Amino acid sequence: LVLTRMVLRQLGGDPAEAAVVAKEIAEGNLKMDGSSSSQNRVGLIGDIYLMKDQLYKIITEVNQVLTRITAGDFTQKVEVEAAGDMNLLKQGINDTVDNIQETFGSINNVMDALSVADFGRRIDISELKGEYRACVKSGTDAMENSRGAINAINTVMSTVAQGEFDKRVEIELPGDLGDLRANINQSLDVVQRGIEDTTKITLALADGDLSKRVEAEHPGQFGLLKSALNNSMDKLSEIVGKIIQSAEVV
């Protein structure tokens, strides 16, 4: 009888009660009711109730934080006091929230820069890891590609503004930027050929050579210019020919 009392005192209650509480924990039933409070409980059963209470509090807060994350709110963290493995869980969740918050901050920075065409803005991703880093890096790579494209195009167009048409966008660019590069270079090819052919005719005319014509095919307005130049040269040749013929008669 004395031994039984000693055992019950160490247990803090009926062994059957300890078994019930342990089963509830194993089944994930952590919510405490009024009759199962850990207050004023001693022994092993008191410790079990305390563990159940702590598990309930931290799991509840973890669920609240995860619910906020799902809703796009990364400001809440697990604040409940915890020890041991539960503290590791708390730290893990809070570190995850920090990483997500920092990642989305960097993404917002990237998108803000892109929205105002600020391709030179530097985004620090040194503190990001794994998929978080890869996610933001894809955005910074896009900014870098855009910056390289804009710089190359600006360089070429600056020479065009100075009347030089021999420069091309040489940088390799992906996707739509590659299409833009190809269209710019093709346009410059057309303009350069049109201007070169026109220049040849006008220089020949200045030298009194009326035999030159624009032979190459040109699209659009350059095609109209070609026809106008050739027709003008034909008319001039005809007029000059008649003048020469009249002079010979006289």
Side-chain angles (χ1 to χ4, degrees):
L1 181 60
V2 174
L3 180 60
T4 300
R5 289 177 179 175
M6 289 178 59
V7 171
L8 291 176
R9 188 179 302 114
Q10 290 179 350
L11 286 175
D14 188 347
E17 182 181 1
V20 170
V21 178
K23 183 179 179 182
E24 288 177 349
I25 294 174
E27 293 175 348
N29 181 16
L30 304 176
K31 189 173 183 179
M32 305 288 288
D33 56 38
S35 63
S36 60
S37 173
S38 62
Q39 295 180 355
N40 301 321
R41 302 303 295 265
V42 296
L44 178 61
I45 291 179
D47 291 340
I48 293 176
Y49 275 123
L50 179 61
M51 178 180 67
K52 182 181 180 183
D53 186 36
Q54 290 177 338
L55 282 171
Y56 175 73
K57 289 178 180 178
I58 193 168
I59 294 299
T60 298
E61 284 207 24
V62 167
N63 283 334
Q64 290 173 351
V65 170
L66 294 177
T67 299
R68 291 289 187 88
I69 290 175
T70 302
D73 180 358
F74 311 115
T75 60
Q76 183 171 340
K77 294 185 179 180
V78 180
E79 303 291 348
V80 66
E81 293 294 328
D85 289 341
M86 288 185 288
N87 189 51
L88 291 178
L89 173 62
K90 171 186 173 180
Q91 291 178 352
I93 292 293
N94 288 345
D95 287 346
T96 298
V97 173
D98 287 339
N99 286 333
I100 293 175
Q101 192 172 32
E102 186 172 354
T103 299
F104 274 87
S106 297
I107 291 173
N108 286 336
N109 200 358
V110 169
M111 299 309 295
D112 179 62
L114 291 175
S115 69
V116 296
D118 181 7
F119 303 116
R121 186 181 301 184
R122 299 271 68 83
I123 309 297
D124 183 14
I125 63 172
S126 60
E127 298 299 322
L128 300 178
K129 300 177 182 178
E131 292 298 323
Y132 298 122
R133 183 186 182 92
C135 177
V136 178
K137 189 175 185 301
S138 64
T140 58
D141 287 348
M143 288 177 61
E144 187 64 25
N145 287 335
S146 298
R147 186 171 72 92
I150 295 299
N151 287 343
I153 291 171
N154 281 338
T155 299
V156 170
M157 299 312 293
S158 294
T159 63
V160 171
Q162 299 299 318
E164 300 291 336
F165 301 95
D166 58 337
K167 303 296 184 183
R168 298 293 182 268
V169 181
E170 303 293 348
I171 185 174
E172 291 295 327
L173 298 171
D176 290 340
L177 289 175
D179 293 340
L180 175 61
R181 167 184 176 268
N183 288 333
I184 289 175
N185 288 344
Q186 184 178 359
S187 297
L188 290 174
D189 289 341
V190 170
V191 172
Q192 185 177 22
R193 287 195 302 268
I195 290 177
E196 286 177 349
D197 282 351
T198 301
T199 301
K200 289 176 182 178
I201 298 300
T202 55
L203 289 176
L205 179 60
D207 290 337
D209 182 358
L210 303 179
S211 64
K212 302 296 184 183
R213 299 292 184 274
V214 179
E215 303 295 342
E217 293 296 325
H218 291 281
Q221 294 298 315
F222 283 104
L224 295 177
L225 178 60
K226 168 192 172 180
S227 297
L229 279 173
N230 288 345
N231 289 337
S232 296
M233 295 297 286
D234 290 341
K235 289 293 183 181
L236 282 172
S237 294
E238 182 180 350
I239 292 172
V240 170
K242 288 181 179 180
I243 291 173
I244 292 173
Q245 190 177 40
S246 298
E248 289 176 350
V249 170
V250 172

